[in-house]
Amino acid sequence: MDTEVKSPPFINRLAREKSPYLLQHAHNPVDWYPWGEEALQRARDEDKPILLSIGYSACHWCHVMAHESFEDEATAELMNRLFINIKVDREERPDLDRIYQNAHQILTRRPGGWPLNVFLDPKQIPFAAGTYFPNGPRHGMPPFTEVLQRIAQFYRDKRAAIDEQNSAVVNLLEQADHAALLAGEIDDQPLRLALQALTQSYDTQHGGFGSAPKFPHCANLEFLLHHESAQAREMALKTLRAMAQGGLMDQLGGGFFRYSVDERWEIPHFEKMLYDNGPLLWLYASAWKMTGDTFFRQVVEMTAGWVMREMQSSDGAYYATQDADTEGEEGGFYVWSREAVHAVIEPGDHPVVASHFGLDLGANFEGRWHLKIAQSIAAIAEERQQAPEKIAEVIERARQRLLTLRSYRPAPGIDNKVLVSWNALMIRGMARAGLLLDRADYIESAQHALDFIRQKMFDDGRLAACHKDGTSYLGGYLDDYAFLLEATLTLLQARWRDADIAFAIELADALLDHFEDESNGGFYFTADDHEALIQRPKSFMDDSMPSGNGVAALALHRLGHLLGNFDYIKSAERATEAAWDGIGKYPTAHGSMLLALGERLSPSAHIIVRGSRQALEQWRQTIYNGYQPRRLVLAIPDDAGELPGELALRTAMGRTVAYRCGDGQCAPPVYNANDL
């Protein structure tokens, strides 16, 4: 009997990598290289163009293009014959992603995204770019195979034109991040312009800003929550409520998806990113403290619960992402049929559950239901003339049963690499939530993550950007240092540890030593000893994450005033001055810089409390009674070690004492918490 002989599976160089995204492509028939000298040298030796493909593991359209094109042998044959093919995980190499996203915008005059496919000459300069290419003619786009052949021919036949274009592209990349120091005085005009612009773009019906697709834009929401205007705070609170009531939030398991494809926050792009959920935790904890509304507290508890349950390793570090797809289907893990819901909840609970989650409305996702809060518990209770507590019990009972049933479905994949910058955003969010909600477990979670980074990813004063399988790798970027500095300061407010203030100082010193642009102000995205690329980016705008320059300026301002370190303060001020032109022209694109500007114009009040550990907890609760966004409190126990800088002047006195500095002056010591 004839036996079918199966060819061995393909395997390429990506099989040696650590990134889960790169490993997803290790068995493509494409002759992929990781970014590195081997691939770049081959391109130079053979005078071949480079196809640089950038994506990440939770990206739905990255998966689609991989299945359609990179797993197809005929397409791979073209790629291998015509190009040197390099695959990059944008989460590991945000420096490359930043450069080539900017290049895509220059070449196509459209914003980029993922997957990003850029065609480079052997000198790494891009001459053509796009995002997703279909495998057949669709949406007015040619098939990917045709694109490959056209670009390869263009490279062969139009070298002079490419060289001329390349000079212009490099010049434009340099100009994009060029900023001159402000010659005049700093004032609050950008803050006023930002509020005006956000008010004009605010969606009064659904919350949020602009039209679909809608993103959280956490830095702008934080700016509004800091603002003294009732109108500003109401815009932020309505947006936060709308996001949490809609499908942007996982109504069963907690946590937020990346963005909403519609203006109502109803249907998301289903990946969950650590970098979104950390800032959102900070915002919802602040909203709860501002309003006392238990809805916001529940959002915090569900989101923090998801993080600790599904996204934190036993070693303490937080994982990067949770995939949008399950077995090739986007959102399949999260959506429901009515029959599946009715099968597991008690018959008498059906009407309440259907009203609450929108199951009595039309299907909203490909014939099925993605759950949202269509009717609040209070509204259902009033309609049915029942106690809200009774309705809440029904909803919670149903939620637990649906969660149990969902746990038997194939779960979305988790990208379990550890990224310092993303961990830092979550450390900050968990520490803030733990402080404001009086949840020691949240603070412990943040502390474990910080300890992991300090022990496994910090050596000789320098951070590694990534960690996986027991190995830390790639030098840290600006975001790693800036975000972790701000996170450490936040954690210090929740729980003092001598090691943390020392660590904060090391991070701040590394920022100044390796990232600062001493001539023009601000901070480069890559360190002074980083691999040489076609550009050394320096951006002040927020993108999918806060601006590293904005967060660095904010954190250095705060640490500088705490310690009396004027080098930190001056570097923060120069960053604000370097960003001034961009902030004024596009204020809402610079939310993080707006926060730094606000800190410069009106530094946070600093309260240093010394006393026994038991007394400090009582004082902390009094001090944080109410919403205080412009207050930085450090409760330092009497048995703390030697304190750095001006903190050493805040001496213990054998009884609890508080030192308050703000508005350019320090008040006499206070011995009664209520006097603050």
Side-chain angles (χ1 to χ4, degrees):
M1 183 176 69
D2 292 338
T3 303
E4 181 183 358
V5 178
K6 295 184 178 179
S7 59
F10 294 101
I11 190 164
N12 58 51
R13 295 169 186 81
L14 300 184
R16 300 194 292 265
E17 295 300 302
K18 295 187 178 300
S19 157
Y21 175 66
L22 298 186
L23 292 173
Q24 287 173 359
H25 294 268
H27 295 284
N28 293 167
V30 179
D31 186 18
W32 290 118
Y33 285 83
W35 180 272
E37 185 57 29
E38 182 184 2
L40 300 174
Q41 186 61 52
R42 183 180 166 194
R44 293 191 290 267
D45 291 344
E46 300 181 15
D47 191 24
K48 268 189 173 181
I50 296 166
L51 169 53
L52 174 64
S53 182
I54 303 177
Y56 60 100
S57 65
C59 167
H60 170 68
W61 286 104
C62 299
H63 297 326
V64 172
M65 189 166 181
H67 295 320
E68 290 180 346
S69 296
F70 302 149
E71 295 172 7
D72 177 68
E73 293 185 35
T75 305
E77 190 279 329
L78 268 179
M79 294 172 65
N80 296 338
R81 176 159 47 87
L82 300 176
F83 299 93
I84 305 301
N85 302 290
I86 299 178
K87 177 61 75 173
V88 163
D89 182 344
R90 66 107 170 178
E91 297 168 359
E92 285 187 340
R93 294 301 303 261
D95 54 335
L96 295 171
D97 185 56
R98 187 172 296 243
I99 291 169
Y100 292 110
Q101 292 284 357
N102 289 341
H104 176 280
Q105 179 118 12
I106 290 170
L107 291 167
T108 67
R109 300 185 181 181
R110 296 192 306 272
W114 302 280
L116 180 69
N117 292 288
V118 188
F119 298 90
L120 321 178
D121 72 3
K123 296 178 182 178
Q124 308 170 35
I125 301 173
F127 63 91
T131 51
Y132 164 74
F133 292 104
N135 61 344
R138 288 199 301 276
H139 316 300
M141 301 170 65
F144 187 49
T145 51
E146 185 177 323
V147 171
L148 294 171
Q149 293 174 84
R150 285 183 186 178
I151 289 178
Q153 183 174 359
F154 182 68
Y155 181 78
R156 289 193 305 268
D157 299 344
K158 302 291 184 181
R159 296 296 289 277
I162 288 174
D163 290 342
E164 183 178 350
Q165 176 184 274
N166 283 355
S167 297
V169 169
V170 171
N171 288 335
L172 288 169
L173 284 171
E174 289 299 330
Q175 292 173 21
D177 286 340
H178 177 74
L181 283 167
L182 173 71
E185 292 292 322
I186 289 285
D187 59 32
D188 68 349
Q189 183 180 13
L191 305 180
R192 291 184 277 110
L193 291 174
L195 181 59
Q196 180 181 351
L198 289 170
T199 302
Q200 290 173 348
S201 65
Y202 177 62
D203 183 342
T204 57
Q205 183 176 0
H206 304 292
F209 304 91
S211 56
K214 279 187 175 176
F215 292 80
H217 296 303
C218 293
N220 284 339
L221 290 173
E222 186 171 340
F223 164 73
L224 292 173
L225 284 183
H226 274 74
H227 207 283
E228 295 180 356
S229 159
Q231 179 191 17
R233 293 184 175 185
E234 182 55 34
M235 286 192 293
L237 292 171
K238 181 171 180 176
T239 299
L240 290 170
R241 185 179 300 279
M243 291 192 302
Q245 288 179 334
L248 192 72
M249 181 174 168
D250 178 357
Q251 299 295 341
L252 299 181
F256 287 84
F257 303 107
R258 183 164 161 248
Y259 68 88
S260 173
V261 301
D262 61 86
E263 63 184 6
R264 303 177 305 278
W265 303 105
E266 187 166 339
I267 303 301
H269 213 19
F270 282 92
E271 64 259 45
K272 292 181 183 178
M273 317 298 289
L274 195 70
Y275 67 70
D276 288 321
N277 283 278
L280 286 168
L281 264 178
W282 194 101
L283 289 167
Y284 281 97
S286 299
W288 177 78
K289 180 57 73 171
M290 177 188 289
T291 65
D293 189 333
T294 56
F295 174 76
F296 291 126
R297 183 182 182 111
Q298 289 164 0
V299 173
V300 173
E301 291 172 341
M302 286 182 66
T303 302
W306 164 73
V307 170
M308 294 189 295
R309 183 178 66 248
E310 299 185 33
M311 299 299 288
Q312 189 162 27
S313 72
S314 58
D315 292 331
Y318 299 115
Y319 300 137
T321 62
Q322 202 166 43
D323 210 329
D325 293 8
T326 309
E327 297 185 329
E329 180 186 5
E330 185 184 12
F333 182 73
Y334 299 102
V335 297
W336 295 87
S337 67
R338 281 178 177 151
E339 293 76 17
V341 174
H342 288 170
V344 295
I345 63 175
E346 296 180 10
D349 292 347
H350 288 178
V352 169
V353 173
S355 295
H356 184 66
F357 288 126
L359 292 165
D360 54 354
L361 305 174
N364 60 5
F365 187 79
E366 299 176 358
R368 290 176 290 176
W369 281 261
H370 176 53
L371 304 184
K372 62 180 181 180
I373 299 179
Q375 193 174 16
S376 69
I377 288 173
I380 296 173
E382 182 178 356
E383 182 180 279
R384 294 177 169 271
Q385 297 188 349
Q386 292 181 291
E389 295 78 11
K390 178 72 173 177
I391 301 299
E393 289 176 8
V394 171
I395 298 301
E396 182 59 22
R397 183 164 60 238
R399 191 175 76 87
Q400 291 299 329
R401 292 189 178 188
L402 291 172
L403 263 179
T404 300
L405 179 60
R406 196 174 79 173
S407 70
Y408 291 103
R409 297 176 177 177
I414 289 180
D415 186 326
N416 62 354
K417 67 176 175 291
V418 177
L419 302 170
V420 166
S421 57
W422 297 18
N423 267 255
L425 293 173
M426 184 54 69
I427 291 167
R428 179 178 183 257
M430 291 292 280
R432 177 74 169 176
L435 174 63
L436 297 187
L437 274 67
D438 194 23
R439 289 289 300 258
D441 52 339
Y442 299 172
I443 298 170
E444 291 283 350
S445 173
Q447 186 171 294
H448 289 327
L450 183 66
D451 289 345
F452 178 95
I453 292 170
R454 188 162 51 214
Q455 293 163 11
K456 301 293 180 72
M457 304 181 72
F458 187 70
D459 183 51
D460 196 23
R462 302 296 293 276
L463 284 167
C466 310
H467 182 96
K468 190 171 183 296
D469 300 333
T471 302
S472 296
Y473 57 103
L474 296 173
Y477 306 101
L478 170 62
D479 290 358
D480 299 309
Y481 288 87
F483 295 0
L484 195 59
L485 173 57
E486 174 64 8
T488 304
L489 290 176
T490 305
L491 185 56
L492 277 164
Q493 296 173 66
R495 178 178 299 172
W496 175 269
R497 294 192 302 176
D498 294 356
D500 289 349
I501 191 65
F503 187 47
I505 293 170
E506 287 189 274
L507 293 172
D509 289 344
L511 271 173
L512 272 57
D513 291 344
H514 298 290
F515 293 89
E516 188 175 17
D517 181 351
E518 295 183 1
S519 299
N520 300 299
F523 300 90
Y524 291 108
F525 187 71
T526 54
D528 52 0
D529 55 357
H530 189 76
E531 168 193 0
L533 302 170
I534 64 169
Q535 181 197 17
R536 192 180 179 195
K538 187 179 75 171
S539 175
F540 299 98
M541 296 175 66
D542 299 326
D543 46 36
S544 56
M545 293 196 298
S547 158
N549 265 283
V551 176
L554 179 71
L556 287 169
H557 262 301
R558 290 175 172 170
L559 185 62
H561 282 290
L562 276 172
L563 302 180
N565 186 315
F566 292 99
D567 288 340
Y568 296 165
I569 296 171
K570 187 61 179 175
S571 293
E573 290 177 344
R574 285 163 54 80
T576 311
E577 292 160 10
W580 186 256
D581 185 59
I583 301 174
K585 290 179 179 176
Y586 312 106
T588 60
H590 292 81
S592 301
M593 290 302 312
L594 294 175
L595 293 169
L597 174 60
E599 185 71 19
R600 173 174 177 170
L601 294 172
S602 179
S604 297
H606 298 152
I607 300 175
I608 311 301
V609 187
R610 303 299 307 272
S612 69
R613 293 180 182 272
Q614 182 178 2
L616 290 180
E617 286 305 312
Q618 298 171 352
W619 275 59
R620 196 199 311 267
Q621 291 179 14
T622 301
I623 292 170
Y624 279 104
N625 183 22
Y627 180 62
Q628 301 288 347
R630 310 288 298 172
R631 179 177 288 180
L632 194 159
V633 181
L634 295 179
I636 306 176
D638 288 344
D639 58 3
E642 183 178 351
L643 300 179
E646 289 190 359
L647 287 178
L649 304 177
R650 317 307 179 204
T651 56
M653 293 188 175
R655 57 174 173 155
T656 308
V657 57
Y659 302 88
R660 183 189 185 281
C661 293
D663 301 323
Q665 60 183 340
C666 293
V670 172
Y671 300 95
N672 186 312
N674 293 322
D675 291 342
L676 287 170

